[in-house]
Amino acid sequence: GARLSARRAVRHDAPMVPADADAEGRLETWRRPLRERPFRRYFLATLINSLGSAAGSIALAFGVLDSGSATDLGLVFFGREIASVALLLAGGVWADRLPRRAILAAGYAAEAVSTAAIAALVWAGEPSTAALAVLAALGGGASAFTRPAQVGFLPELVSPGNLQAANALKATIWSSTTILGAVAGAGLVATLGPPLALAIDAASFVVAAALVLGIGRSASRAPRGTSPLADLREGWVEFRSRTWVWVMVLSFAFFQLSFFPAMFVLGPVIAEQDLHGVAGWGLVVALQAVGSLVGS
């Protein structure tokens, strides 16, 4: 009771801060990372890449369905995801050994080649599902290296005091650009067709790679005295020793097995049959992103 009264007294006696001043302070916190040139270029690269990828996923789905079935679409997405999962651990190990700027640029370039090749096959008409799956696997393998590199690269771009705001800005990009990308992707597919929409996605990877290369040298790191396999074993021990981590990963694995096929394979099929095609699916994806943005 005495502690509760003391807390109430502290709250009662605390100086009142004007609401507009508090809002301005929060806005200033968000602005600070953008004043640092390396982060500003990286932010722009992520923004462009996210917009292109959101539009490209819609274009890929309807590009495959134009001449294939739901099974074909599932196999193409499976090719990408299986390569990403298989190489993700290796990507994490090498992100701690090689310059992260170079990994990101090379990964974006590989995804540009993969997406451009898929666009060419879709343009030619009736593409081979196996060929599309292999090209999707190339893009998924590249993302397995870029994703861990992105996590470690951000602290190299901003001062320590701006890191939390920079992480928040980067996280917000994904939800907000998915909304715009879904609408833009639906519009591009409806007006230009899936091949040109995929070509625009490929171009976004090229622009992102160029922006990352322009950031400058990555922060120097001390050479590691252990082998990649030793690092992998050490990481596995750390992962296995934290119950909350592996339980979360296991639960997300089940989520992927249930939600992702329903959302990204069956969703476009149902939209094509009953929801006015790509326009209806673009709206569904955009509204899902709105929920993610509000929730986060």
Side-chain angles (χ1 to χ4, degrees):
R3 288 196 296 271
L4 180 59
S5 298
R7 285 199 297 271
R8 286 173 176 164
V10 169
R11 286 199 298 267
H12 180 74
D13 295 336
M16 297 296 291
V17 178
D20 55 348
D22 190 39
E24 179 63 28
R26 287 196 297 269
L27 185 59
E28 176 61 22
T29 299
W30 281 65
R31 286 174 182 159
R32 282 201 304 265
L34 292 172
R35 294 198 181 102
E36 301 191 43
R37 183 178 178 275
F39 177 76
R40 196 163 58 242
R41 291 184 69 94
Y42 180 64
F43 179 87
L44 185 59
T46 304
L47 179 64
I48 293 170
N49 179 234
S50 302
L51 281 169
S53 296
S57 64
I58 293 178
L60 176 60
F62 285 88
V64 174
L65 290 176
D66 276 350
S67 59
S69 65
T71 301
D72 295 324
L73 180 58
L75 289 171
V76 171
F77 278 128
F78 177 75
R80 178 178 178 85
E81 293 306 315
I82 197 67
S84 178
V85 170
L87 295 174
L88 190 60
L89 291 176
V93 169
W94 287 104
D96 283 338
R97 292 175 168 270
L98 301 177
R100 296 186 179 105
R101 180 179 68 104
I103 292 176
L104 287 175
Y108 289 151
E111 294 216 53
V113 171
S114 165
T115 307
I118 290 173
L121 287 179
V122 174
W123 179 277
E126 297 188 0
S128 161
T129 301
L132 290 177
V134 169
L135 289 170
L138 172 62
S143 73
F145 285 84
T146 57
R147 282 157 59 190
Q150 286 172 342
V151 176
F153 193 45
L154 195 58
E156 299 179 12
L157 305 177
V158 294
S159 52
N162 291 334
L163 181 57
Q164 186 175 16
N167 271 310
L169 278 170
K170 184 177 180 296
T172 304
I173 288 176
W174 290 106
S175 294
S176 55
T177 53
T178 299
I179 300 170
L180 298 174
V183 175
L188 288 171
V189 172
T191 56
L192 303 178
L196 287 178
L198 285 165
I200 292 172
D201 182 22
S204 75
F205 281 110
V206 174
V207 174
L211 285 168
V212 168
L213 283 175
I215 288 175
R217 290 182 175 274
S218 301
S220 59
R221 284 170 289 161
R224 300 182 68 88
T226 55
S227 69
L229 284 178
D231 290 348
L232 197 59
R233 284 195 296 269
E234 181 185 0
W236 173 250
V237 170
E238 295 296 329
F239 169 79
R240 192 177 57 183
S241 67
R242 289 164 173 80
T243 304
W244 69 272
V245 174
W246 65 258
V247 167
M248 182 177 67
V249 170
L250 187 63
S251 67
F252 190 67
F254 285 110
F255 171 77
Q256 285 184 301
L257 285 172
S258 55
F259 174 79
F260 280 8
M263 184 71 180
F264 296 110
V265 178
L266 297 182
V269 173
I270 294 171
E272 191 172 50
Q273 294 172 351
D274 302 317
L275 301 177
H276 307 288
V278 66
W281 184 239
L283 179 61
V284 170
V285 175
L287 290 176
Q288 188 217 5
V290 169
S292 295
L293 184 61
V294 172
S296 63

